[in-house]
Amino acid sequence: MTGVQTGRGDIKAEVVVNCAGMWAREVGLMCGVNVPLHACEHFYVVTEAMEGLSPQLPVLRDTDGCAYYREDAGKLLLGAFEPRAKPWGMEGIPEDFCFDRLPEDMEHFLPVLKQATRRVPALEDTGIHTWFNGPESFTPDVRYLLGEAPEVRNFHVAAGFNSIGIQSAGGAGKVLAEWIVAGHPPVDLWDVDIQRVFPFQGDSRYLVERASEALGLLYAMHWPYRQYETARGIHTSPLHERLESRGACFGEVAGWERANWFAPAGVAPRYEYSYKRQNWFPYAAEEHRAVREAVALFDQTSFAKFRVQGADAEAVLQRICANDVGVAPGRIVYTQWLNPRGGIEADLTVTRLAEDTYQIVTSAVSALRNLTWLHRQIPDTARVAVTDETFTTAVIGLMGPHSRLLLGSLVEENLSNEAFPFGWAREITLAGVPVRAQRITYVGELGWELYIPADSAVRVFDALADAGPAHGLRLAGMHTLDSCRIEKAYRHWGHDITDEDTPLEAGLGFACAFDKAVPFIGRDALLRQKEQRLTRRLVQFALEDPAPLLYHNEPIYRDGEIVGHIASGNYGHTLGRAIGLGYVNHPDGITAEFIRSGSYEIEVACERIPARASLRPLYDPENERIRG
Ligand SMILES: Cc1cc2nc3c(=O)[nH]c(=O)nc-3n(C[C@H](O)[C@H](O)[C@H](O)COP(=O)(O)OP(=O)(O)OC[C@H]3O[C@@H](n4cnc5c(N)ncnc54)[C@H](O)[C@@H]3O)c2cc1C
């Protein structure tokens, strides 16, 4: 960033903040920055004076009625966040638009007004003094867009305030100012970080469609696992039709349609939302059992994959990765990328494909963030190229104790522990297709991830599906992947580990190679932390009562006092109870004995449920099943 050109001359500036409200998308486009937001019409009415209305009346939000109320100089203001909004400004927003009003639309507002007369019966006898309609910008996930843009250094964004820009202004301004001064966010702000958005979301047609849903989500029920209904089908795996015809219920992440669970024959693959067990619970339990007792197939194509290639690839990655990636070709390394404060920026695997070539695999949601981090750490003089192979490579996960038999029935290569140990990658041929098999797992079982040229993925899938029944193969979805990983206490970036958590706090110290020749980013901060006592540690919890569920944010009690909250939760079907991961905090330091000696409860829906706490995974702590 060097400055801004205006009609009245140029302004030099090292840092520029795009806070142009509903014009922010267009301002971003001026310098190639994607700011996906779209204006929608926002309606409110102000009644005639109402007798007895106190200026002290608190703001009332009636989420079921899609309405909010507040006193306004003796009158009542009633605003709407209706389920289907009216996008505005599709032809661009006039430059001279300033505090203007849009035409009224009584027909559109009437359902909310009708409902409002039930909540506030006095409205029946009170006239409407003002009908107001004004535009405001909405983002695809109804969260703001804050922070430094991935495309341009020192170009910051503070936009997309989704109708809560006034109430959010103080906090958003404060953290952005601190972000600019320090060069990093002052706390974990991933929820609102502009690095979470993808290029496809800048498309105006996508935005028009999604904005119509986004406005209503402000007041809609925040069901667990709730899926967007608009602007779907952006990225589909080559296996999409195969999975769909076998009962897949899809959910969306980073634009990818992913099979979340599979409905058996005769059951519609549709969510029935609830805070209790949802309709897919028993089907996911069956998928989970297949992973643990037979073999399951996961479509993991949405994983982001980057190839890092060149004479300096090892040197560059040794600095970025906390673990040692100076390994033999064929080795897979689990590692974190840390910031200089020791916080976890990324959690991924790095496979050395050749002396000068590595493949990085990370989650779909973190793709752009991780790619940006990688590019920004590569010195200008380094001889290395980064290629995004996400869309050219499909991934099938074959997981479970029968995976070796099933895969072995289709390939000539030796899959024994001696020939193909855990943590290695090998080229194999499956159904005539060259496939890279990686012996690695996110579910804690014997298994392989198969990296397949996207155009041949269906052929490989068909071969596995044909041979599968003899080995008890079942298709499994993302809910099962998550249920299995939480039993094994595998961390999930964004929930269990973020840029303000260190590997030592998260129990990932084993993945930090302190002694390797190239010191990794964050090493000094970790060494300093090692000298002190840890005051927080990530702990796995299992509820004693098998009935309640955990999602996240449930308070953790130790000996009757709140010591933290659940960072991620799911039902562990093998352990037969809800499992959660969460940080336990204690200012005087936390030892294994401190964790062991406490008595724990997790609060679920206002009820404290006794829980067992463990620093070691409750499922297969010795990794015997992975070694197969
Ligand atoms: C009817 C209505 C009711 C609302 N009620 C509430 C409420 O009760 N509580 C609440 O918290 N929020 C409310 N909001 C939302 C709130 O008003 C917005 O979220 C907030 O104003 C957004 O602030 P902003 O600074 O991002 O954008 P804006 O306030 O729109 O400011 C953007 C500025 O950028 C300028 N600009 C644009 N392009 C350029 C350019 N190229 N060069 C220079 N300048 C440019 C514009 O002129 C404008 O001044 C309401 C919105 C509406 C429409």
mmCIF file with all atom_site columns, all heavy atoms in Angstrom, residues 19-21 23 27 30 42 44 132 134-136 161 163-167, ligand 1:
data_model
loop_
_atom_site.group_PDB
_atom_site.id
_atom_site.type_symbol
_atom_site.label_atom_id
_atom_site.label_alt_id
_atom_site.label_comp_id
_atom_site.label_asym_id
_atom_site.label_entity_id
_atom_site.label_seq_id
_atom_site.pdbx_PDB_ins_code
_atom_site.Cartn_x
_atom_site.Cartn_y
_atom_site.Cartn_z
_atom_site.occupancy
_atom_site.B_iso_or_equiv
_atom_site.pdbx_formal_charge
_atom_site.auth_seq_id
_atom_site.auth_comp_id
_atom_site.auth_asym_id
_atom_site.auth_atom_id
_atom_site.pdbx_PDB_model_num
ATOM   1   N N   . CYS A 1 19  ? -13.250 1.235  4.750  1.00 0.00 ? 19  CYS A N   1
ATOM   2   C CA  . CYS A 1 19  ? -14.444 1.172  5.603  1.00 0.00 ? 19  CYS A CA  1
ATOM   3   C C   . CYS A 1 19  ? -15.574 1.893  4.879  1.00 0.00 ? 19  CYS A C   1
ATOM   4   O O   . CYS A 1 19  ? -16.240 2.753  5.431  1.00 0.00 ? 19  CYS A O   1
ATOM   5   C CB  . CYS A 1 19  ? -14.171 1.759  6.983  1.00 0.00 ? 19  CYS A CB  1
ATOM   6   S SG  . CYS A 1 19  ? -13.410 3.371  6.961  1.00 0.00 ? 19  CYS A SG  1
ATOM   7   N N   . ALA A 1 20  ? -15.751 1.492  3.609  1.00 0.00 ? 20  ALA A N   1
ATOM   8   C CA  . ALA A 1 20  ? -16.694 2.190  2.743  1.00 0.00 ? 20  ALA A CA  1
ATOM   9   C C   . ALA A 1 20  ? -18.086 1.578  2.777  1.00 0.00 ? 20  ALA A C   1
ATOM   10  O O   . ALA A 1 20  ? -18.853 1.714  1.821  1.00 0.00 ? 20  ALA A O   1
ATOM   11  C CB  . ALA A 1 20  ? -16.142 2.229  1.319  1.00 0.00 ? 20  ALA A CB  1
ATOM   12  N N   . GLY A 1 21  ? -18.445 0.920  3.881  1.00 0.00 ? 21  GLY A N   1
ATOM   13  C CA  . GLY A 1 21  ? -19.812 0.407  4.047  1.00 0.00 ? 21  GLY A CA  1
ATOM   14  C C   . GLY A 1 21  ? -20.235 -0.438 2.862  1.00 0.00 ? 21  GLY A C   1
ATOM   15  O O   . GLY A 1 21  ? -19.499 -1.320 2.410  1.00 0.00 ? 21  GLY A O   1
ATOM   16  N N   . TRP A 1 23  ? -20.339 0.273  -0.106 1.00 0.00 ? 23  TRP A N   1
ATOM   17  C CA  . TRP A 1 23  ? -19.502 0.497  -1.288 1.00 0.00 ? 23  TRP A CA  1
ATOM   18  C C   . TRP A 1 23  ? -18.166 -0.258 -1.162 1.00 0.00 ? 23  TRP A C   1
ATOM   19  O O   . TRP A 1 23  ? -17.331 -0.183 -2.055 1.00 0.00 ? 23  TRP A O   1
ATOM   20  C CB  . TRP A 1 23  ? -19.193 1.988  -1.458 1.00 0.00 ? 23  TRP A CB  1
ATOM   21  C CG  . TRP A 1 23  ? -20.376 2.857  -1.769 1.00 0.00 ? 23  TRP A CG  1
ATOM   22  C CD1 . TRP A 1 23  ? -20.824 3.210  -3.012 1.00 0.00 ? 23  TRP A CD1 1
ATOM   23  C CD2 . TRP A 1 23  ? -21.243 3.500  -0.839 1.00 0.00 ? 23  TRP A CD2 1
ATOM   24  N NE1 . TRP A 1 23  ? -21.923 4.038  -2.897 1.00 0.00 ? 23  TRP A NE1 1
ATOM   25  C CE2 . TRP A 1 23  ? -22.203 4.232  -1.578 1.00 0.00 ? 23  TRP A CE2 1
ATOM   26  C CE3 . TRP A 1 23  ? -21.322 3.532  0.561  1.00 0.00 ? 23  TRP A CE3 1
ATOM   27  C CZ2 . TRP A 1 23  ? -23.209 4.981  -0.971 1.00 0.00 ? 23  TRP A CZ2 1
ATOM   28  C CZ3 . TRP A 1 23  ? -22.336 4.277  1.165  1.00 0.00 ? 23  TRP A CZ3 1
ATOM   29  C CH2 . TRP A 1 23  ? -23.265 4.980  0.401  1.00 0.00 ? 23  TRP A CH2 1
ATOM   30  N N   . VAL A 1 27  ? -14.846 -0.570 -3.687 1.00 0.00 ? 27  VAL A N   1
ATOM   31  C CA  . VAL A 1 27  ? -13.558 0.042  -3.316 1.00 0.00 ? 27  VAL A CA  1
ATOM   32  C C   . VAL A 1 27  ? -12.470 -1.036 -3.291 1.00 0.00 ? 27  VAL A C   1
ATOM   33  O O   . VAL A 1 27  ? -11.354 -0.818 -3.759 1.00 0.00 ? 27  VAL A O   1
ATOM   34  C CB  . VAL A 1 27  ? -13.674 0.777  -1.961 1.00 0.00 ? 27  VAL A CB  1
ATOM   35  C CG1 . VAL A 1 27  ? -12.312 1.200  -1.451 1.00 0.00 ? 27  VAL A CG1 1
ATOM   36  C CG2 . VAL A 1 27  ? -14.591 1.984  -2.097 1.00 0.00 ? 27  VAL A CG2 1
ATOM   37  N N   . MET A 1 30  ? -11.077 -1.865 -6.644 1.00 0.00 ? 30  MET A N   1
ATOM   38  C CA  . MET A 1 30  ? -10.142 -0.873 -7.219 1.00 0.00 ? 30  MET A CA  1
ATOM   39  C C   . MET A 1 30  ? -8.698  -1.342 -7.098 1.00 0.00 ? 30  MET A C   1
ATOM   40  O O   . MET A 1 30  ? -7.839  -0.908 -7.856 1.00 0.00 ? 30  MET A O   1
ATOM   41  C CB  . MET A 1 30  ? -10.271 0.473  -6.480 1.00 0.00 ? 30  MET A CB  1
ATOM   42  C CG  . MET A 1 30  ? -11.572 1.198  -6.731 1.00 0.00 ? 30  MET A CG  1
ATOM   43  S SD  . MET A 1 30  ? -11.607 2.676  -5.674 1.00 0.00 ? 30  MET A SD  1
ATOM   44  C CE  . MET A 1 30  ? -13.294 3.212  -5.899 1.00 0.00 ? 30  MET A CE  1
ATOM   45  N N   . HIS A 1 42  ? -33.553 -2.672 4.430  1.00 0.00 ? 42  HIS A N   1
ATOM   46  C CA  . HIS A 1 42  ? -33.876 -2.925 5.837  1.00 0.00 ? 42  HIS A CA  1
ATOM   47  C C   . HIS A 1 42  ? -35.040 -2.016 6.233  1.00 0.00 ? 42  HIS A C   1
ATOM   48  O O   . HIS A 1 42  ? -34.978 -0.809 6.047  1.00 0.00 ? 42  HIS A O   1
ATOM   49  C CB  . HIS A 1 42  ? -32.655 -2.677 6.724  1.00 0.00 ? 42  HIS A CB  1
ATOM   50  C CG  . HIS A 1 42  ? -32.945 -2.852 8.181  1.00 0.00 ? 42  HIS A CG  1
ATOM   51  N ND1 . HIS A 1 42  ? -33.627 -3.940 8.673  1.00 0.00 ? 42  HIS A ND1 1
ATOM   52  C CD2 . HIS A 1 42  ? -32.693 -2.064 9.259  1.00 0.00 ? 42  HIS A CD2 1
ATOM   53  C CE1 . HIS A 1 42  ? -33.761 -3.830 9.987  1.00 0.00 ? 42  HIS A CE1 1
ATOM   54  N NE2 . HIS A 1 42  ? -33.213 -2.695 10.364 1.00 0.00 ? 42  HIS A NE2 1
ATOM   55  N N   . TYR A 1 44  ? -38.080 -0.504 8.808  1.00 0.00 ? 44  TYR A N   1
ATOM   56  C CA  . TYR A 1 44  ? -38.695 -0.316 10.121 1.00 0.00 ? 44  TYR A CA  1
ATOM   57  C C   . TYR A 1 44  ? -39.826 0.688  10.025 1.00 0.00 ? 44  TYR A C   1
ATOM   58  O O   . TYR A 1 44  ? -39.920 1.444  9.047  1.00 0.00 ? 44  TYR A O   1
ATOM   59  C CB  . TYR A 1 44  ? -37.673 0.072  11.193 1.00 0.00 ? 44  TYR A CB  1
ATOM   60  C CG  . TYR A 1 44  ? -36.995 1.421  11.083 1.00 0.00 ? 44  TYR A CG  1
ATOM   61  C CD1 . TYR A 1 44  ? -37.666 2.589  11.459 1.00 0.00 ? 44  TYR A CD1 1
ATOM   62  C CD2 . TYR A 1 44  ? -35.671 1.516  10.665 1.00 0.00 ? 44  TYR A CD2 1
ATOM   63  C CE1 . TYR A 1 44  ? -37.023 3.817  11.395 1.00 0.00 ? 44  TYR A CE1 1
ATOM   64  C CE2 . TYR A 1 44  ? -35.025 2.740  10.599 1.00 0.00 ? 44  TYR A CE2 1
ATOM   65  C CZ  . TYR A 1 44  ? -35.709 3.897  10.969 1.00 0.00 ? 44  TYR A CZ  1
ATOM   66  O OH  . TYR A 1 44  ? -35.081 5.112  10.912 1.00 0.00 ? 44  TYR A OH  1
ATOM   67  N N   . PHE A 1 132 ? -40.114 3.364  7.050  1.00 0.00 ? 132 PHE A N   1
ATOM   68  C CA  . PHE A 1 132 ? -38.736 3.637  6.639  1.00 0.00 ? 132 PHE A CA  1
ATOM   69  C C   . PHE A 1 132 ? -38.127 2.403  5.979  1.00 0.00 ? 132 PHE A C   1
ATOM   70  O O   . PHE A 1 132 ? -38.304 1.273  6.436  1.00 0.00 ? 132 PHE A O   1
ATOM   71  C CB  . PHE A 1 132 ? -37.871 4.060  7.836  1.00 0.00 ? 132 PHE A CB  1
ATOM   72  C CG  . PHE A 1 132 ? -36.521 4.538  7.394  1.00 0.00 ? 132 PHE A CG  1
ATOM   73  C CD1 . PHE A 1 132 ? -36.321 5.870  7.036  1.00 0.00 ? 132 PHE A CD1 1
ATOM   74  C CD2 . PHE A 1 132 ? -35.448 3.663  7.283  1.00 0.00 ? 132 PHE A CD2 1
ATOM   75  C CE1 . PHE A 1 132 ? -35.081 6.314  6.585  1.00 0.00 ? 132 PHE A CE1 1
ATOM   76  C CE2 . PHE A 1 132 ? -34.212 4.098  6.831  1.00 0.00 ? 132 PHE A CE2 1
ATOM   77  C CZ  . PHE A 1 132 ? -34.028 5.435  6.489  1.00 0.00 ? 132 PHE A CZ  1
ATOM   78  N N   . GLY A 1 134 ? -34.224 1.549  4.380  1.00 0.00 ? 134 GLY A N   1
ATOM   79  C CA  . GLY A 1 134 ? -32.870 2.008  4.015  1.00 0.00 ? 134 GLY A CA  1
ATOM   80  C C   . GLY A 1 134 ? -31.960 0.814  3.789  1.00 0.00 ? 134 GLY A C   1
ATOM   81  O O   . GLY A 1 134 ? -32.183 -0.257 4.365  1.00 0.00 ? 134 GLY A O   1
ATOM   82  N N   . PRO A 1 135 ? -30.940 0.971  2.954  1.00 0.00 ? 135 PRO A N   1
ATOM   83  C CA  . PRO A 1 135 ? -30.070 -0.173 2.662  1.00 0.00 ? 135 PRO A CA  1
ATOM   84  C C   . PRO A 1 135 ? -28.915 -0.317 3.655  1.00 0.00 ? 135 PRO A C   1
ATOM   85  O O   . PRO A 1 135 ? -28.439 0.670  4.207  1.00 0.00 ? 135 PRO A O   1
ATOM   86  C CB  . PRO A 1 135 ? -29.522 0.161  1.279  1.00 0.00 ? 135 PRO A CB  1
ATOM   87  C CG  . PRO A 1 135 ? -29.501 1.657  1.238  1.00 0.00 ? 135 PRO A CG  1
ATOM   88  C CD  . PRO A 1 135 ? -30.572 2.157  2.165  1.00 0.00 ? 135 PRO A CD  1
ATOM   89  N N   . GLU A 1 136 ? -28.491 -1.555 3.851  1.00 0.00 ? 136 GLU A N   1
ATOM   90  C CA  . GLU A 1 136 ? -27.333 -1.857 4.701  1.00 0.00 ? 136 GLU A CA  1
ATOM   91  C C   . GLU A 1 136 ? -26.665 -3.090 4.098  1.00 0.00 ? 136 GLU A C   1
ATOM   92  O O   . GLU A 1 136 ? -27.303 -3.912 3.443  1.00 0.00 ? 136 GLU A O   1
ATOM   93  C CB  . GLU A 1 136 ? -27.819 -2.100 6.144  1.00 0.00 ? 136 GLU A CB  1
ATOM   94  C CG  . GLU A 1 136 ? -26.924 -2.934 7.035  1.00 0.00 ? 136 GLU A CG  1
ATOM   95  C CD  . GLU A 1 136 ? -25.616 -2.250 7.442  1.00 0.00 ? 136 GLU A CD  1
ATOM   96  O OE1 . GLU A 1 136 ? -25.192 -1.324 6.746  1.00 0.00 ? 136 GLU A OE1 1
ATOM   97  O OE2 . GLU A 1 136 ? -25.015 -2.694 8.425  1.00 0.00 ? 136 GLU A OE2 1
ATOM   98  N N   . PHE A 1 161 ? -21.116 -4.805 8.087  1.00 0.00 ? 161 PHE A N   1
ATOM   99  C CA  . PHE A 1 161 ? -21.532 -4.828 9.497  1.00 0.00 ? 161 PHE A CA  1
ATOM   100 C C   . PHE A 1 161 ? -22.947 -5.374 9.734  1.00 0.00 ? 161 PHE A C   1
ATOM   101 O O   . PHE A 1 161 ? -23.441 -5.343 10.859 1.00 0.00 ? 161 PHE A O   1
ATOM   102 C CB  . PHE A 1 161 ? -21.319 -3.465 10.140 1.00 0.00 ? 161 PHE A CB  1
ATOM   103 C CG  . PHE A 1 161 ? -19.870 -3.253 10.503 1.00 0.00 ? 161 PHE A CG  1
ATOM   104 C CD1 . PHE A 1 161 ? -19.042 -2.485 9.709  1.00 0.00 ? 161 PHE A CD1 1
ATOM   105 C CD2 . PHE A 1 161 ? -19.321 -3.896 11.601 1.00 0.00 ? 161 PHE A CD2 1
ATOM   106 C CE1 . PHE A 1 161 ? -17.690 -2.330 10.030 1.00 0.00 ? 161 PHE A CE1 1
ATOM   107 C CE2 . PHE A 1 161 ? -17.982 -3.753 11.927 1.00 0.00 ? 161 PHE A CE2 1
ATOM   108 C CZ  . PHE A 1 161 ? -17.158 -2.966 11.142 1.00 0.00 ? 161 PHE A CZ  1
ATOM   109 N N   . SER A 1 163 ? -26.017 -4.736 9.719  1.00 0.00 ? 163 SER A N   1
ATOM   110 C CA  . SER A 1 163 ? -27.051 -4.053 10.506 1.00 0.00 ? 163 SER A CA  1
ATOM   111 C C   . SER A 1 163 ? -26.726 -3.920 11.992 1.00 0.00 ? 163 SER A C   1
ATOM   112 O O   . SER A 1 163 ? -27.599 -3.539 12.769 1.00 0.00 ? 163 SER A O   1
ATOM   113 C CB  . SER A 1 163 ? -28.408 -4.751 10.352 1.00 0.00 ? 163 SER A CB  1
ATOM   114 O OG  . SER A 1 163 ? -29.346 -3.818 9.926  1.00 0.00 ? 163 SER A OG  1
ATOM   115 N N   . ILE A 1 164 ? -25.511 -4.259 12.388 1.00 0.00 ? 164 ILE A N   1
ATOM   116 C CA  . ILE A 1 164 ? -25.143 -4.008 13.784 1.00 0.00 ? 164 ILE A CA  1
ATOM   117 C C   . ILE A 1 164 ? -23.857 -3.174 13.833 1.00 0.00 ? 164 ILE A C   1
ATOM   118 O O   . ILE A 1 164 ? -23.048 -3.292 14.743 1.00 0.00 ? 164 ILE A O   1
ATOM   119 C CB  . ILE A 1 164 ? -25.010 -5.312 14.614 1.00 0.00 ? 164 ILE A CB  1
ATOM   120 C CG1 . ILE A 1 164 ? -24.140 -6.334 13.876 1.00 0.00 ? 164 ILE A CG1 1
ATOM   121 C CG2 . ILE A 1 164 ? -26.365 -5.879 14.967 1.00 0.00 ? 164 ILE A CG2 1
ATOM   122 C CD1 . ILE A 1 164 ? -23.740 -7.525 14.738 1.00 0.00 ? 164 ILE A CD1 1
ATOM   123 N N   . GLY A 1 165 ? -23.714 -2.322 12.833 1.00 0.00 ? 165 GLY A N   1
ATOM   124 C CA  . GLY A 1 165 ? -22.492 -1.536 12.713 1.00 0.00 ? 165 GLY A CA  1
ATOM   125 C C   . GLY A 1 165 ? -22.360 -0.461 13.776 1.00 0.00 ? 165 GLY A C   1
ATOM   126 O O   . GLY A 1 165 ? -21.240 -0.079 14.138 1.00 0.00 ? 165 GLY A O   1
ATOM   127 N N   . ILE A 1 166 ? -23.475 0.034  14.288 1.00 0.00 ? 166 ILE A N   1
ATOM   128 C CA  . ILE A 1 166 ? -23.380 1.082  15.313 1.00 0.00 ? 166 ILE A CA  1
ATOM   129 C C   . ILE A 1 166 ? -22.972 0.446  16.641 1.00 0.00 ? 166 ILE A C   1
ATOM   130 O O   . ILE A 1 166 ? -22.024 0.871  17.287 1.00 0.00 ? 166 ILE A O   1
ATOM   131 C CB  . ILE A 1 166 ? -24.715 1.857  15.424 1.00 0.00 ? 166 ILE A CB  1
ATOM   132 C CG1 . ILE A 1 166 ? -25.024 2.538  14.077 1.00 0.00 ? 166 ILE A CG1 1
ATOM   133 C CG2 . ILE A 1 166 ? -24.640 2.885  16.545 1.00 0.00 ? 166 ILE A CG2 1
ATOM   134 C CD1 . ILE A 1 166 ? -26.430 3.091  13.960 1.00 0.00 ? 166 ILE A CD1 1
ATOM   135 N N   . GLN A 1 167 ? -23.663 -0.624 16.997 1.00 0.00 ? 167 GLN A N   1
ATOM   136 C CA  . GLN A 1 167 ? -23.332 -1.266 18.279 1.00 0.00 ? 167 GLN A CA  1
ATOM   137 C C   . GLN A 1 167 ? -21.954 -1.932 18.249 1.00 0.00 ? 167 GLN A C   1
ATOM   138 O O   . GLN A 1 167 ? -21.325 -2.097 19.288 1.00 0.00 ? 167 GLN A O   1
ATOM   139 C CB  . GLN A 1 167 ? -24.415 -2.275 18.690 1.00 0.00 ? 167 GLN A CB  1
ATOM   140 C CG  . GLN A 1 167 ? -24.437 -3.551 17.872 1.00 0.00 ? 167 GLN A CG  1
ATOM   141 C CD  . GLN A 1 167 ? -25.536 -4.498 18.331 1.00 0.00 ? 167 GLN A CD  1
ATOM   142 O OE1 . GLN A 1 167 ? -26.685 -4.112 18.465 1.00 0.00 ? 167 GLN A OE1 1
ATOM   143 N NE2 . GLN A 1 167 ? -25.193 -5.740 18.575 1.00 0.00 ? 167 GLN A NE2 1
HETATM 144 C C1  . LIG B 2 .   ? -32.544 1.477  8.575  1.00 0.00 ? 1   LIG B C1  1
HETATM 145 C C2  . LIG B 2 .   ? -31.305 1.079  9.300  1.00 0.00 ? 1   LIG B C2  1
HETATM 146 C C3  . LIG B 2 .   ? -31.320 0.927  10.685 1.00 0.00 ? 1   LIG B C3  1
HETATM 147 C C4  . LIG B 2 .   ? -30.186 0.549  11.385 1.00 0.00 ? 1   LIG B C4  1
HETATM 148 N N1  . LIG B 2 .   ? -30.225 0.428  12.732 1.00 0.00 ? 1   LIG B N1  1
HETATM 149 C C5  . LIG B 2 .   ? -29.110 0.061  13.418 1.00 0.00 ? 1   LIG B C5  1
HETATM 150 C C6  . LIG B 2 .   ? -29.112 -0.075 14.848 1.00 0.00 ? 1   LIG B C6  1
HETATM 151 O O1  . LIG B 2 .   ? -30.112 0.151  15.508 1.00 0.00 ? 1   LIG B O1  1
HETATM 152 N N2  . LIG B 2 .   ? -27.968 -0.482 15.479 1.00 0.00 ? 1   LIG B N2  1
HETATM 153 C C7  . LIG B 2 .   ? -26.843 -0.762 14.787 1.00 0.00 ? 1   LIG B C7  1
HETATM 154 O O2  . LIG B 2 .   ? -25.843 -1.133 15.389 1.00 0.00 ? 1   LIG B O2  1
HETATM 155 N N3  . LIG B 2 .   ? -26.808 -0.625 13.444 1.00 0.00 ? 1   LIG B N3  1
HETATM 156 C C8  . LIG B 2 .   ? -27.913 -0.231 12.735 1.00 0.00 ? 1   LIG B C8  1
HETATM 157 N N4  . LIG B 2 .   ? -27.870 -0.114 11.368 1.00 0.00 ? 1   LIG B N4  1
HETATM 158 C C9  . LIG B 2 .   ? -26.645 -0.479 10.665 1.00 0.00 ? 1   LIG B C9  1
HETATM 159 C C10 . LIG B 2 .   ? -25.601 0.586  10.713 1.00 0.00 ? 1   LIG B C10 1
HETATM 160 O O3  . LIG B 2 .   ? -26.152 1.814  10.328 1.00 0.00 ? 1   LIG B O3  1
HETATM 161 C C11 . LIG B 2 .   ? -24.455 0.163  9.774  1.00 0.00 ? 1   LIG B C11 1
HETATM 162 O O4  . LIG B 2 .   ? -24.006 -1.119 10.097 1.00 0.00 ? 1   LIG B O4  1
HETATM 163 C C12 . LIG B 2 .   ? -23.297 1.116  9.898  1.00 0.00 ? 1   LIG B C12 1
HETATM 164 O O5  . LIG B 2 .   ? -23.683 2.433  9.610  1.00 0.00 ? 1   LIG B O5  1
HETATM 165 C C13 . LIG B 2 .   ? -22.199 0.711  8.933  1.00 0.00 ? 1   LIG B C13 1
HETATM 166 O O6  . LIG B 2 .   ? -21.128 1.568  9.143  1.00 0.00 ? 1   LIG B O6  1
HETATM 167 P P1  . LIG B 2 .   ? -19.957 1.647  8.120  1.00 0.00 ? 1   LIG B P1  1
HETATM 168 O O7  . LIG B 2 .   ? -19.019 2.680  8.654  1.00 0.00 ? 1   LIG B O7  1
HETATM 169 O O8  . LIG B 2 .   ? -19.440 0.289  7.812  1.00 0.00 ? 1   LIG B O8  1
HETATM 170 O O9  . LIG B 2 .   ? -20.623 2.152  6.744  1.00 0.00 ? 1   LIG B O9  1
HETATM 171 P P2  . LIG B 2 .   ? -21.292 3.557  6.419  1.00 0.00 ? 1   LIG B P2  1
HETATM 172 O O10 . LIG B 2 .   ? -21.884 4.161  7.624  1.00 0.00 ? 1   LIG B O10 1
HETATM 173 O O11 . LIG B 2 .   ? -22.168 3.314  5.240  1.00 0.00 ? 1   LIG B O11 1
HETATM 174 O O12 . LIG B 2 .   ? -20.059 4.442  5.987  1.00 0.00 ? 1   LIG B O12 1
HETATM 175 C C14 . LIG B 2 .   ? -19.381 4.219  4.771  1.00 0.00 ? 1   LIG B C14 1
HETATM 176 C C15 . LIG B 2 .   ? -18.850 5.564  4.283  1.00 0.00 ? 1   LIG B C15 1
HETATM 177 O O13 . LIG B 2 .   ? -17.952 5.356  3.186  1.00 0.00 ? 1   LIG B O13 1
HETATM 178 C C16 . LIG B 2 .   ? -18.147 6.423  2.271  1.00 0.00 ? 1   LIG B C16 1
HETATM 179 N N5  . LIG B 2 .   ? -17.627 6.031  0.953  1.00 0.00 ? 1   LIG B N5  1
HETATM 180 C C17 . LIG B 2 .   ? -18.126 5.110  0.087  1.00 0.00 ? 1   LIG B C17 1
HETATM 181 N N6  . LIG B 2 .   ? -17.372 5.020  -1.013 1.00 0.00 ? 1   LIG B N6  1
HETATM 182 C C18 . LIG B 2 .   ? -16.355 5.886  -0.863 1.00 0.00 ? 1   LIG B C18 1
HETATM 183 C C19 . LIG B 2 .   ? -15.236 6.271  -1.675 1.00 0.00 ? 1   LIG B C19 1
HETATM 184 N N7  . LIG B 2 .   ? -15.009 5.700  -2.851 1.00 0.00 ? 1   LIG B N7  1
HETATM 185 N N8  . LIG B 2 .   ? -14.399 7.209  -1.197 1.00 0.00 ? 1   LIG B N8  1
HETATM 186 C C20 . LIG B 2 .   ? -14.615 7.777  0.003  1.00 0.00 ? 1   LIG B C20 1
HETATM 187 N N9  . LIG B 2 .   ? -15.647 7.481  0.815  1.00 0.00 ? 1   LIG B N9  1
HETATM 188 C C21 . LIG B 2 .   ? -16.515 6.547  0.375  1.00 0.00 ? 1   LIG B C21 1
HETATM 189 C C22 . LIG B 2 .   ? -19.638 6.643  2.281  1.00 0.00 ? 1   LIG B C22 1
HETATM 190 O O14 . LIG B 2 .   ? -19.950 7.907  1.814  1.00 0.00 ? 1   LIG B O14 1
HETATM 191 C C23 . LIG B 2 .   ? -19.948 6.490  3.773  1.00 0.00 ? 1   LIG B C23 1
HETATM 192 O O15 . LIG B 2 .   ? -19.859 7.716  4.438  1.00 0.00 ? 1   LIG B O15 1
HETATM 193 C C24 . LIG B 2 .   ? -28.999 0.269  10.650 1.00 0.00 ? 1   LIG B C24 1
HETATM 194 C C25 . LIG B 2 .   ? -28.988 0.413  9.268  1.00 0.00 ? 1   LIG B C25 1
HETATM 195 C C26 . LIG B 2 .   ? -30.136 0.797  8.591  1.00 0.00 ? 1   LIG B C26 1
HETATM 196 C C27 . LIG B 2 .   ? -30.086 0.946  7.103  1.00 0.00 ? 1   LIG B C27 1
#
